[in-house]
Amino acid sequence: MSTVRLVGSLQSRVPQNGCPNCGFDSWCVPANLTSLESKQFNDRIEHRRPIKRSKHLHLAGAPLESLYVINSGFLRTSMADSDGREQVMGFSMTGELVGLDAIGTGKYLCDSIALEDSSLCGMRYSDLEELGHTIPALQHHFHQVMSAEITRDHGIMALLGVMSAEERVATFLLNLSMRFSARGYSGINFRLPMTRQDIGSYLGLKLETVSRILSHFNNIQFISINQRDIEIKSIQKLRQRIGAHETTCSSTRRTK
Amino acid sequence: MSTVRLVGSLQSRVPQNGCPNCGFDSWCVPANLTSLESKQFNDRIEHRRPIKRSKHLHLAGAPLESLYVINSGFLRTSMADSDGREQVMGFSMTGELVGLDAIGTGKYLCDSIALEDSSLCGMRYSDLEELGHTIPALQHHFHQVMSAEITRDHGIMALLGVMSAEERVATFLLNLSMRFSARGYSGINFRLPMTRQDIGSYLGLKLETVSRILSHFNNIQFISINQRDIEIKSIQKLRQRIGAHETTCSSTRRTK
DNA sequence: CGCCCGCTTGAGCCGCTTCAATGCTCGTGG
DNA sequence: CCACGAGCATTGAAGCGGCTCAAGCGGGCG
């Protein structure tokens, strides 16, 4: 998906550039940059590139120029199979980095599209590499971000490999909730920016299955959902539903 | 999985260090290092650490010290779910790098185990970062390797998300075949180093399903398989089987 | 040689998909 | 302003692909 949480808490205010709440701000603090280094860094940032809903940031095959951090909004990254089937690789929100998968070949392998009107801050990849040589802390931080992306992908692989449909949806909801919370939004009430189709593709399920499971979670009071507006009624219960495969089995299937 | 193809062709001979066919050799050529830089680089390599079959290179939770390139042998990387279910993240062979997912947190999140007696070359991650600052080309190459790992993971996510069981197994066999060829081994006849269980976990299938599909591919002359010894009879036909979902559907299901 | 672990194969079942119909919402133009 | 339509969501019924459970086999290693 090429998107990744950059830092644990985003409350850090780094007011030295003219871009309030700039997505790259969060790079300076954890990377422990001096103010001179931060200045050098900020000078290379292309601030606040807007992107309208349902417009592409890039298509697969386009050459990599810049990496982007999301300033506000929501993006979806997806890959088209050789025979046309589409797999959603991930959803990116504020503070997350897009484009990491393109570094290897210099070309994007994914499409990225805005799910709502969004704003990005970009940096040319060549600039980032150059800065990395003179600012070791930045280099180190960049490595961590890339590694975190690999870890995230591994989590999704595990989800797709071993989890049941209900577990996948529960995991997805909890993950969204967590990310909204971390950004200061409500982790309880939020609006899903993507369609059931998108969720299904991401989780390796059909859209009807996603819809049914959401309805089911609604019926058993885990959540309350109306179209795209969702309220998490019990994080606890959702959590228990994940990894409940053995527990549930013993009550339903072991009746043999 | 933290494993990745380092270069397209491995025939490049870089004889300047005493470690014949060292896994890190392949870093010097594509990274275009000068001979001085190669010397600095080679001086930091811990050469030829052996690891016996079924021994762990590391367990999840262990602190990251070094990244390893496989010199010879075969490794399996896997992650245990919170409730004990295991997901195989990947299989690594000669020339591939292990440990990238640990950079983010400084701790391994995966277990790595040798599927056969293997030999590794390691470099302390701190050394690699240090060298990266003085040798830009090395840094650049390292970024490419990390990005390639992300790309590889995306491919697996797509496989797990959209492919049928037969397509997954066919993809797996073709991928192995390709990697063996690229290393100068036969891509037609080879021995699977992992169990059906391992393959199943990797592909999100049960071992019985893997076994059945291999038997089926055997019956229809796509491959010839006897326990772990396999011969690819027709790469072409295996390729067609992938992405045959629409084609096959129209002949079998559209009979409605 | 014998045991154990891994592989194969079969039968039946369940979870998810497929196909289909209907409802809801929002944007657009008359 | 409302009527309409397109796209998204919901829900039902039926089918199938892969899973579960179970038994038998074979090969390698002690």
Side-chain angles (χ1 to χ4, degrees):
Chain A
M1 171 219 226
S2 325
T3 206
V4 106
R5 286 273 298 298
L6 294 182
V7 283
S9 86
L10 294 197
Q11 25 250 45
S12 50
R13 244 163 276 136
V14 184
Q16 66 264 42
N17 65 22
C19 177
N21 216 10
C22 172
F24 277 111
D25 282 354
S26 56
W27 281 52
C28 303
V29 177
N32 263 320
L33 303 197
T34 66
S35 56
L36 173 62
E37 289 169 341
S38 289
K39 174 84 169 58
Q40 295 176 328
F41 182 64
N42 280 314
D43 285 349
R44 308 290 186 101
I45 299 173
E46 170 203 353
H47 285 297
R48 300 204 159 271
R49 167 172 172 169
I51 175 168
K52 279 286 176 192
R53 178 169 153 239
S54 81
K55 292 293 174 201
H56 287 276
L57 173 60
H58 55 72
L59 290 169
L64 167 70
E65 303 221 325
S66 295
L67 298 177
Y68 289 95
V69 174
I70 301 181
N71 209 299
S72 68
F74 227 99
L75 262 60
R76 182 193 71 200
T77 307
S78 62
M79 240 175 75
D81 206 318
S82 53
D83 53 317
R85 290 175 292 189
E86 199 186 45
Q87 168 75 23
V88 170
M89 309 309 301
F91 304 101
S92 325
M93 55 194 286
T94 308
E96 297 175 330
L97 191 63
V98 182
L100 290 179
D101 62 300
I103 293 172
T105 60
K107 284 180 189 300
Y108 291 102
L109 299 164
C110 295
D111 299 337
S112 275
I113 196 170
L115 293 174
E116 46 187 60
D117 293 353
S118 304
S119 158
L120 312 172
C121 292
M123 179 172 296
R124 298 186 63 82
Y125 173 58
S126 53
D127 284 359
L128 185 61
E129 278 213 312
E130 206 182 306
L131 286 169
H133 300 140
T134 55
I135 311 175
L138 180 66
Q139 193 64 263
H140 182 75
H141 185 66
F142 181 55
H143 290 170
Q144 291 194 326
V145 168
M146 290 199 88
S147 176
E149 170 70 12
I150 293 172
T151 300
R152 197 195 63 86
D153 290 345
H154 285 186
I156 298 168
M157 285 165 58
L159 176 142
L160 292 171
V162 304
M163 286 190 181
S164 71
E166 287 203 354
E167 290 179 305
R168 295 182 200 191
V169 174
T171 305
F172 174 73
L173 293 177
L174 287 172
N175 177 266
L176 268 189
S177 166
M178 213 183 58
R179 286 154 79 193
F180 277 119
S181 300
R183 280 155 187 75
Y185 302 110
S186 167
I188 302 301
N189 287 285
F190 49 91
R191 189 174 166 77
L192 300 172
M194 70 294 281
T195 67
R196 302 289 190 263
Q197 171 85 262
D198 290 336
I199 300 173
S201 170
Y202 180 58
L203 299 177
L205 301 170
K206 293 296 156 182
L207 69 94
E208 295 97 327
T209 306
V210 173
S211 178
R212 267 184 256 272
I213 289 173
L214 288 174
S215 295
H216 180 228
F217 282 169
N218 185 69
N219 292 340
I220 61 178
Q221 310 278 329
F222 282 21
I223 65 174
S224 164
I225 192 161
N226 183 270
Q227 301 287 111
R228 295 196 183 181
D229 293 311
I230 190 166
E231 179 188 347
I232 311 281
K233 295 266 201 179
S234 170
I235 290 187
Q236 202 55 39
K237 287 180 183 168
L238 278 177
R239 279 230 186 81
Q240 286 166 1
R241 177 62 44 131
I242 304 167
H245 78 118
E246 201 50 67
T247 324
T248 318
C249 288
S250 51
S251 63
T252 60
R253 211 170 291 155
R254 295 254 178 269
T255 34
K256 179 203 155 165
Chain B
M1 169 221 226
S2 326
T3 205
V4 106
R5 284 274 297 297
L6 295 183
V7 283
S9 88
L10 293 197
Q11 24 252 46
S12 51
R13 245 164 275 136
V14 185
Q16 66 264 43
N17 65 23
C19 178
N21 217 10
C22 173
F24 277 111
D25 283 353
S26 56
W27 281 51
C28 304
V29 178
N32 262 320
L33 302 198
T34 67
S35 56
L36 173 62
E37 289 170 343
S38 288
K39 174 85 170 55
Q40 295 176 329
F41 182 63
N42 280 313
D43 285 349
R44 306 289 186 101
I45 299 173
E46 170 203 353
H47 285 296
R48 301 205 156 269
R49 168 171 170 172
I51 177 169
K52 279 287 177 192
R53 179 168 154 240
S54 83
K55 292 294 175 200
H56 286 276
L57 172 61
H58 55 73
L59 290 169
L64 167 69
E65 303 221 324
S66 295
L67 298 177
Y68 290 96
V69 175
I70 301 182
N71 209 300
S72 69
F74 227 100
L75 262 61
R76 181 193 72 200
T77 308
S78 63
M79 238 175 77
D81 206 319
S82 54
D83 53 317
R85 290 174 294 188
E86 199 186 44
Q87 169 75 22
V88 170
M89 309 308 301
F91 304 101
S92 325
M93 54 192 288
T94 308
E96 296 175 331
L97 191 63
V98 182
L100 291 179
D101 62 302
I103 292 173
T105 61
K107 284 181 190 301
Y108 290 101
L109 299 164
C110 295
D111 300 337
S112 275
I113 196 169
L115 293 174
E116 46 186 62
D117 293 354
S118 304
S119 159
L120 312 171
C121 292
M123 178 173 296
R124 297 185 64 82
Y125 173 57
S126 53
D127 284 358
L128 185 61
E129 278 212 313
E130 206 181 306
L131 286 169
H133 300 139
T134 56
I135 312 176
L138 181 66
Q139 193 63 262
H140 183 74
H141 185 67
F142 181 55
H143 288 171
Q144 292 195 326
V145 168
M146 291 200 87
S147 177
E149 170 70 13
I150 293 171
T151 300
R152 197 195 62 88
D153 291 346
H154 285 187
I156 299 169
M157 286 164 59
L159 176 143
L160 293 170
V162 304
M163 285 191 183
S164 71
E166 286 203 354
E167 290 179 304
R168 294 183 200 192
V169 174
T171 305
F172 175 72
L173 293 177
L174 287 172
N175 178 267
L176 269 189
S177 166
M178 214 182 57
R179 285 153 79 194
F180 276 120
S181 301
R183 280 155 187 76
Y185 302 111
S186 168
I188 302 300
N189 287 283
F190 50 90
R191 189 175 166 77
L192 301 172
M194 69 294 280
T195 67
R196 302 289 190 264
Q197 171 86 262
D198 290 336
I199 299 173
S201 170
Y202 180 58
L203 299 177
L205 301 170
K206 293 296 157 183
L207 69 93
E208 296 97 326
T209 306
V210 173
S211 178
R212 267 185 255 274
I213 289 173
L214 288 175
S215 296
H216 180 227
F217 282 170
N218 185 67
N219 293 338
I220 60 178
Q221 309 278 331
F222 282 20
I223 64 173
S224 164
I225 193 162
N226 183 268
Q227 301 286 111
R228 294 196 181 182
D229 293 311
I230 190 167
E231 178 189 346
I232 311 283
K233 295 267 205 179
S234 169
I235 291 187
Q236 202 54 37
K237 286 180 182 168
L238 278 176
R239 280 230 186 81
Q240 287 167 1
R241 177 62 44 133
I242 305 167
H245 79 117
E246 201 49 68
T247 324
T248 318
C249 288
S250 50
S251 64
T252 61
R253 212 170 290 155
R254 294 252 179 270
T255 35
K256 175 202 162 173

